[in-house]
């Protein structure tokens, strides 16, 4: 589920909103703030979908769907966990404080999220699920493109503000 887990919307939001602090350029701080905030909206959309799909399940439907272990712990409450049962943990996200590393992390994260949405779309024919998932998938592609633009901006400006280009500790004798 894209609510929690290593490729979910919660992790994306926290990743971007955490990385913004160490970005040396206002444009990149703004990019991370904008996308991180948007990811919070995506979190709400996924939570609503999950709640709508589970709120009226009978115990027999819960068991048949393999949802029983989740139900024991959370009933039908929305909990930040991947479809595999892996709960959200900050250990599944990165914020290195290095502009180049963080932007590459974000590019990869957007592609992983897109892949999960592709897989969800392969498994559903319910338009009430598929339509918002298609929207979210499209936003992952836009975020990927925006992070690519951010990476180009960053590499064009490499200087002493980023250790990728210049690390004074390398010059110590």
């Amino acid at each position: 589920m894209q609510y929690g887990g290593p490729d979910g919307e919660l992790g994306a939001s926290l990743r971007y909103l955490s990385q913004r602090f160490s970005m040396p350029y206002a444009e990149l701080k703004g990019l991370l703030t904008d996308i991180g905030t948007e990811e919070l909206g995506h979190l709400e959309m996924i939570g609503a979908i999950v709640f709508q799909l589970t709120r009226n399940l009978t115990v027999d439907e819960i068991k048949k769907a393999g949802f029983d272990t989740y139900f024991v712990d959370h009933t039908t409450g929305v909990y930040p966990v991947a479809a595999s049962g892996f709960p959200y943990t900050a250990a599944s996200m990165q914020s290195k404080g290095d502009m180049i590393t963080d932007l590459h992390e974000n590019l990869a994260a957007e592609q992983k999220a897109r892949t999960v949405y592709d897989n969800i779309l392969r498994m559903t024919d319910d338009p009430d699920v598929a339509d918002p998932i298609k929207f979210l998938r499209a936003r992952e592609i836009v975020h990927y493109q925006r992070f690519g633009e951010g990476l180009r901006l960053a590499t064009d400006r490499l200087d002493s503000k980023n250790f990728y280009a210049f690390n004074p500790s390398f010059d110590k004798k």
Side-chain angles (χ1 to χ4, degrees):
M1 162 168 79
Q2 281 298 86
Y3 194 77
D7 303 319
E9 301 293 350
L10 177 60
S13 178
L14 293 175
R15 176 186 306 109
Y16 307 148
L17 293 174
S18 296
Q19 290 174 353
R20 69 175 299 284
F21 293 103
S22 61
M23 282 294 157
Y25 305 116
E27 300 94 333
L28 295 176
K29 286 179 193 273
L31 175 67
L32 289 163
T33 301
D34 290 349
I35 294 176
T37 302
E38 183 179 344
E39 298 288 3
L40 289 172
H42 296 177
L43 183 68
E44 181 181 11
M45 292 173 71
I46 295 296
I49 292 169
V50 171
F51 178 72
Q52 290 171 9
L53 290 172
T54 61
R55 69 177 173 206
N56 295 320
L57 292 177
T58 67
V59 172
D60 288 338
E61 290 170 325
I62 289 167
K63 288 179 182 177
K64 184 178 178 182
F67 195 53
D68 48 333
T69 55
Y70 180 95
F71 181 83
V72 168
D73 289 338
H74 308 290
T75 318
T76 56
V78 178
Y79 179 75
V81 63
S84 64
F86 182 80
Y88 175 77
T89 171
S92 66
M93 59 169 256
Q94 289 295 323
S95 179
K96 292 291 190 185
D98 178 273
M99 175 175 62
I100 302 300
T101 302
D102 284 347
L103 289 168
H104 277 281
E105 168 73 17
N106 300 347
L107 287 162
E110 293 297 328
Q111 288 302 308
K112 290 185 281 185
R114 181 203 43 86
T115 300
V116 172
Y117 286 134
D118 286 348
N119 292 337
I120 291 170
L121 289 169
R122 287 182 182 100
M123 297 184 69
T124 188
D125 58 2
D126 181 343
D128 291 334
V129 174
D131 290 346
I133 296 299
K134 287 176 185 176
F135 169 81
L136 293 170
R137 182 190 182 282
R139 295 307 300 162
E140 303 300 347
I141 293 168
V142 170
H143 295 168
Y144 179 82
Q145 292 167 339
R146 296 221 27 229
F147 283 130
E149 293 164 3
L151 182 60
R152 282 188 293 280
L153 181 146
T155 55
D156 287 348
R157 294 185 180 176
L158 286 177
D159 62 15
S160 62
K161 288 185 176 183
N162 184 277
F163 290 147
Y164 185 81
F166 172 76
N167 186 330
S169 65
F170 296 160
D171 294 333
K172 292 182 180 178
K173 295 187 185 211

